[in-house]
């Protein structure tokens, strides 16, 4: 039987696809802790060598780009966060954590969150449900062993979200996801129209360093915006969130943002944010816990 094309679907079919995972009630609170005007949730995806490994690339050149993230980028990030007194969430593939267990301990010792980011930065939409589930359970166990606590949340690798990801997230008992893009503010995830209790802390490619600053010599992927101009986009995003009394969430990668000129731009962004009164800095887990308890 020939598979139907989307234009041939009946209404029940296309509505079913749309409703499978959907944004539910807004979890934006009436106010942030201590009467803060806005919340800032910084995150770093510590992918390191897992990006080339995921694609079967085992030669030293690509692996060295990932190694830079752990060897140079992550320590620079930790120093910058310490200087500003800002907590962050580090989403780490389990293979990356196994390659760099000392880095995981450094995150924990500095008071940061360590959260899930797949096993080897796999493309979960290409996996069978059984394989996706097995890798997720194995990753959660690995991060718990290395960090000393069970992860509270997940960011799927590359923000891929299969038809089975939400069910696996619920099975793991995670409190939040940070992979979807239906709002600027936190919201509750629905599964086929039913509330799940899982908080979504939405991401956006606008607030991610990789689209602006990555480089691949064999493809058309090239850095196309100077770091300070990228920081200017994020500054505008923060200013709007501050004016609205909302959440400013940012996704960065140590192997991308960790280079000297880019860290300078990130430092200037944090200086800009620090110049505003009433900013609550929090990990993603802290944001999820707060909005769940204080949303209207």
């Amino acid at each position: 039987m020939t598979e139907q094309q989307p234009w041939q679907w009946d209404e029940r079919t296309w509505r079913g696809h749309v409703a499978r995972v959907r944004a539910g009630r807004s979890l934006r609170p009436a106010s942030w802790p201590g009467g803060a005007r806005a919340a800032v949730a910084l995150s770093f995806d510590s992918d390191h060598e897992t990006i080339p490994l995921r694609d079967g690339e085992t030669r030293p050149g690509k692996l060295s780009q990932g190694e830079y993230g752990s060897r140079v980028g992550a320590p620079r990030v930790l120093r910058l966060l310490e200087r500003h007194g800002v907590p962050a969430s580090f989403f780490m593939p389990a293979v990356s954590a196994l390659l760099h267990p000392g880095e995981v301990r450094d995150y924990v010792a500095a008071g940061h969150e360590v959260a899930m980011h797949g096993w080897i930065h796999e493309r979960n939409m290409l996996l069978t449900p059984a394989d996706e589930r097995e890798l997720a359970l194995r990753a959660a166990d690995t991060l718990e062993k290395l960090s000393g606590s069970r992860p509270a949340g997940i960011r799927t690798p590359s923000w891929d979200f299969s038809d089975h990801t939400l069910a696996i997230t619920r099975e793991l008992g995670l409190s939040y996801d940070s992979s979807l893009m239906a709002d600027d503010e936190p919201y509750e995830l629905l599964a086929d129209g039913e509330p799940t209790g899982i908080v979504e802390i939405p991401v956006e490619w606008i607030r991610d360093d990789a689209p602006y600053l990555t480089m691949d010599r064999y493809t058309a992927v090239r850095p196309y915006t100077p770091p300070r101009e990228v920081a200017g986009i994020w500054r505008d995003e923060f200013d709007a969130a501050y004016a609205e009394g909302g959440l400013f969430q940012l996704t960065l990668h140590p192997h991308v943002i960790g280079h000297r000129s880019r860290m300078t731009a990130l430092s200037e962004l944090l200086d800009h944010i620090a110049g505003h009164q009433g900013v609550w800095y929090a990990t993603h887990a802290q944001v999820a816990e707060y909005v769940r308890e204080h949303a209207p």
Side-chain angles (χ1 to χ4, degrees):
M1 183 176 178
T2 303
E3 182 179 354
Q4 284 190 325
Q5 297 299 312
W7 56 267
Q8 295 173 310
W9 291 341
D10 59 23
E11 183 171 345
R12 179 180 179 182
T13 299
W14 53 256
R15 284 193 182 277
H17 289 307
V18 171
R20 182 171 293 118
V21 178
R22 200 71 169 161
R25 65 188 178 111
S26 174
L27 298 178
R28 175 177 170 174
S31 63
W32 297 103
R37 178 169 184 105
V40 170
L42 302 181
S43 63
F44 297 85
D45 293 358
S46 301
D47 302 329
H48 304 334
E49 294 93 342
T50 61
I51 299 294
L53 289 175
R54 182 255 332 263
D55 294 329
E57 175 58 77
T58 59
R59 286 167 290 188
K62 279 289 188 181
L63 292 174
S64 70
Q65 282 186 292
E67 186 179 13
Y68 183 94
S70 182
R71 182 181 177 89
V72 181
R76 277 187 178 147
V77 165
L78 285 172
R79 290 194 296 269
L80 181 64
L81 294 175
E82 181 180 15
R83 186 160 75 247
H84 284 269
V86 174
S89 298
F90 289 84
F91 294 88
M92 202 166 193
V95 168
S96 183
L98 288 166
L99 284 169
H100 309 285
E103 183 180 331
V104 179
R105 293 191 293 269
D106 289 343
Y107 294 154
V108 174
H112 303 300
E113 175 191 8
V114 177
M116 292 181 62
H117 197 43
W119 173 256
I120 195 169
H121 212 279
E122 62 276 3
R123 302 182 190 277
N124 63 25
M125 291 191 292
L126 302 180
L127 300 177
T128 66
D131 284 342
E132 182 182 358
R133 176 182 180 274
E134 194 276 330
L135 290 176
L137 268 62
R138 196 196 314 172
D141 290 343
T142 299
L143 289 186
E144 180 178 18
K145 181 179 179 180
L146 293 176
S147 71
S149 61
R150 193 74 172 172
I154 185 171
R155 173 171 295 154
T156 58
S158 303
W159 302 344
D160 287 346
F161 209 97
S162 80
D163 290 341
H164 312 284
T165 301
L166 182 54
I168 295 168
T169 299
R170 299 179 77 177
E171 180 182 352
L172 284 167
L174 301 174
S175 68
Y176 76 88
D177 173 78
S178 185
S179 317
L180 301 176
M181 310 181 195
D183 205 319
D184 296 310
E185 307 297 338
Y187 57 90
E188 182 177 13
L189 287 178
L190 302 180
D192 294 316
E194 296 297 322
T196 64
I198 295 176
V199 176
E200 180 63 37
I201 301 177
V203 292
E204 227 302 324
W205 293 113
I206 296 168
R207 301 188 310 274
D208 186 302
D209 58 356
Y212 305 106
L213 300 173
T214 48
M215 165 73 186
D216 185 346
R217 62 181 293 203
Y218 296 112
T219 70
V221 175
R222 295 287 187 276
Y224 64 86
T225 310
R228 279 192 171 89
E229 291 188 18
V230 177
I233 296 171
W234 298 337
R235 186 169 58 247
D236 290 343
E237 285 280 322
F238 165 77
D239 288 347
Y242 187 82
E244 295 173 2
L247 171 68
F248 172 69
Q249 184 277 343
L250 188 63
T251 301
L252 304 166
H253 301 75
H255 73 281
V256 176
I257 202 69
H259 292 272
R260 290 165 173 159
S261 60
R262 299 167 179 185
M263 287 298 293
T264 297
L266 178 59
S267 180
E268 290 180 358
L269 173 68
L270 294 184
D271 287 340
H272 173 77
I273 295 173
H276 292 70
Q277 296 290 326
V279 174
W280 179 52
Y281 298 95
T283 66
H284 284 48
Q286 289 168 334
V287 170
E289 180 181 5
Y290 184 81
V291 300
R292 182 182 289 108
E293 296 177 357
H294 294 87

